[in-house]
Amino acid sequence: MTAPLLALLDGSIVDVATPIVRADDLGVVRGDGVFDATLVRRGALRDADAHLDRLARSARLLALPQPDRDGYRRAIDALVAAWDWDAAPEAVARLVLTRGPEGGGPATAYVLLQALSASVIAERTSGVRVQLLDRGFDGEVVASMPWLLPGAKSLSYAINMAARRHALEHGADDVLFVAPSGRLLEGPTSTLVLDVDGELLTPEQDGILASITLEQLERDAPAAGLTVRHAPLVRDDLARARGGWLVSSGRLAAAITAIDGEPYPASPLHEALFRVLEVHA
Ligand code: PLP
């Protein structure tokens, strides 16, 4: 297992065991910060600009200082140069920005590079059993409540992680959040794509994270003869779909193989979608 690598925005590599965050950092004590994460494959970072743009958007939504783009690029370049790409050809880069110490002080910013875990890679092949969980709100309601940070990739992921644990305890691998109205939302760390009558449909992005993997799919799918469209998907659409996937920057895509314990069909578009997203099993 390749050890994680850590870089600061001046481009210096720091031992990951060295403390770089103060105990009173608001990112630690309040989850008050933002992050973004993307795949780096053999040194090539996927959609770097889109991830830096989203980090900046998230920071704006939390009224954090704007991220130092050049600094993040310096840190990424240093990590890419130091990583052993033969030992671990795929890694996830996490760009972190917190509000810094409670009493004031500079924002905390760093990039962490970690090998893509074997279990995540395996899910590209084996797929994921999904549990539907109520998220407690509707996307379009939350979209008008900026204090709930819709669309921000904040460090407050405890609910998302709790949902994932709940699914694991109940024999599933992952979660699809559903609104009280029955609208389908997103996974705790992923976006839903369904094959409905040969068209790739994904929930409207009200109140959920704008996925960069989805952006890539929308951009590149037409050349492969696939169409992608946002639609107000509801629970019943799961039953009429020919199959579906959870997509995200690290795992890229995993087919949904079961929903709430019931086997789910494999879409005839599976291989085409994997080709478009360049998913390596
Ligand atoms: N939705 C949530 C809540 C996420 O955390 C993520 C990714 O981590 C996604 C969707 C998928 O976004 P992306 O494709 O940009 O990784």
Side-chain angles (χ1 to χ4, degrees):
M1 180 72 189
T2 313
L5 282 182
L6 168 66
L8 305 181
L9 301 204
D10 62 3
S12 57
I13 302 272
V14 178
D15 187 322
V16 77
T18 304
I20 58 154
V21 177
R22 288 172 43 148
D24 63 350
D25 192 292
L26 288 162
V28 176
V29 296
R30 300 268 196 220
D32 192 359
V34 296
F35 76 107
D36 220 288
T38 188
L39 187 66
V40 193
R41 189 177 267 163
R42 292 211 165 270
L45 194 127
R46 269 170 100 106
D47 297 312
D49 281 327
H51 286 278
L52 285 165
D53 288 348
R54 189 169 64 186
L55 186 72
R57 216 159 49 238
S58 298
R60 255 193 310 279
L61 289 166
L62 271 77
L64 285 166
Q66 274 302 286
D68 168 6
R69 276 183 100 91
D70 291 343
Y72 279 101
R73 283 191 180 279
R74 256 193 308 276
I76 291 163
D77 289 347
L79 292 169
V80 163
W83 191 257
D84 182 348
W85 294 106
D86 290 327
E90 291 188 286
V92 172
R94 270 212 184 80
L95 288 54
V96 177
L97 176 68
T98 85
R99 201 176 300 280
E102 189 140 36
T108 302
Y110 59 89
V111 181
L112 187 64
L113 192 63
Q114 292 168 291
L116 193 66
S117 77
S119 60
V120 165
I121 294 171
E123 284 174 346
R124 293 172 175 167
T125 309
S126 61
V128 283
R129 296 162 300 171
V130 164
Q131 185 176 18
L132 301 183
L133 291 181
D134 195 332
R135 186 69 177 86
F137 58 71
D138 271 279
E140 67 270 29
V141 174
V142 141
S144 62
M145 299 179 179
W147 56 92
L148 294 182
L149 303 178
K153 206 162 162 62
S154 88
L155 285 175
S156 305
Y157 257 48
I159 288 174
N160 304 38
M161 296 301 102
R164 180 72 82 48
R165 279 196 304 279
H166 185 88
L168 291 178
E169 285 160 14
H170 291 83
D173 309 299
D174 214 325
V175 170
L176 176 59
F177 285 128
V178 183
S181 64
R183 281 277 183 96
L184 305 178
L185 295 169
E186 62 184 344
T189 62
S190 61
T191 294
L192 174 71
V193 176
L194 291 180
D195 167 0
V196 179
D197 299 332
E199 214 183 358
L200 299 175
L201 300 187
T202 189
E204 282 164 339
Q205 291 201 325
D206 283 343
I208 63 174
L209 191 74
S211 158
I212 290 167
T213 316
L214 182 67
E215 243 176 64
Q216 191 204 335
L217 188 63
E218 288 175 304
R219 186 187 64 217
D220 298 339
L226 300 174
T227 55
V228 187
R229 188 163 62 79
H230 289 268
L233 297 171
V234 293
R235 271 175 187 267
D236 287 349
D237 291 313
L238 292 170
R240 69 187 187 97
R242 302 194 300 175
W245 304 263
L246 295 181
V247 306
S248 58
S249 295
R251 189 167 55 190
L252 294 178
I256 298 172
T257 58
I259 297 183
D260 287 346
E262 293 295 319
Y264 203 61
S267 158
L269 302 180
H270 180 75
E271 265 136 44
L273 179 135
F274 264 42
R275 263 196 307 278
V276 171
L277 289 179
E278 299 174 275
V279 185
H280 296 178

